Amino acid sequence: PRQLPSNPVPLPGGATVAFTGKWSLLQVGRGDCDAACQETLYHTRQVRRALGREMARVQRVFLSTAGTPNTGFVAADHPDLLVLPDDLASRDTVLAALGEFADGDVFIADPLGNVVLRFPAGTTMKDMHEDLALLLKASQIG
């Protein structure tokens, strides 16, 4: 499996994102986030919420491929979302670890930092939720 960085990745403002210890839903897309991007962000948020008490085991990360993320939109609609903007050097390391991707793709990484699934753009919330719930149920970690 592909391995995400094991050290915490610094974010603007002094925060960090760690790809170990929690399951991660990683969405790849343009920072200006068009309607399709916003819909996918909504889907990942709803998938996480649908996990109920297990949602604390999952973090959401947005990787901007180009353009500046709309911080107002993110803060208002997705306050739990961790954003790696395109001008962040460590973002390139994370994208390289994902391998081949397209804008709108969503990846799942396990609590050890292994990328275990890729959902192509347009995957339904139901399919994402079923796969993630099954992984969480089977997992003894994270």
Side-chain angles (χ1 to χ4, degrees):
R2 296 184 178 273
Q3 183 75 38
L4 294 172
S6 57
N7 294 327
V9 174
L11 300 174
T16 60
V17 59
F19 295 108
T20 57
K22 283 190 171 198
W23 289 85
S24 298
L25 275 171
L26 300 105
Q27 178 181 339
V28 179
R30 291 189 47 82
D32 52 8
C33 208
D34 63 10
C37 170
Q38 290 179 22
E39 183 177 356
T40 304
L41 281 174
Y42 169 77
H43 287 174
T44 61
R45 182 182 70 200
Q46 295 306 104
V47 164
R48 182 175 176 267
R49 284 184 178 169
L51 294 170
R53 67 174 190 258
E54 298 295 326
M55 80 179 214
R57 296 173 62 191
V58 179
Q59 65 182 351
R60 294 186 317 132
V61 181
F62 180 76
L63 301 158
S64 174
T65 57
T68 305
N70 182 338
T71 54
F73 164 73
V74 170
D77 292 356
H78 303 280
D80 66 321
L81 185 67
L82 302 166
V83 179
L84 278 75
D86 66 339
D87 61 351
L88 192 64
S90 52
R91 185 240 21 185
D92 294 336
T93 306
V94 177
L95 287 176
L98 295 178
E100 189 175 315
F101 63 85
D103 284 352
D105 287 355
V106 176
F107 294 83
I108 294 180
D110 70 15
L112 300 176
N114 300 307
V115 179
V116 294
L117 282 176
R118 174 181 172 237
F119 298 108
T123 300
T124 66
M125 285 190 291
K126 180 182 178 193
D127 289 341
M128 280 192 261
H129 179 263
E130 286 176 352
D131 288 348
L132 184 56
L134 182 62
L135 288 168
L136 290 172
K137 184 178 179 180
S139 173
Q140 298 299 316
I141 57 174

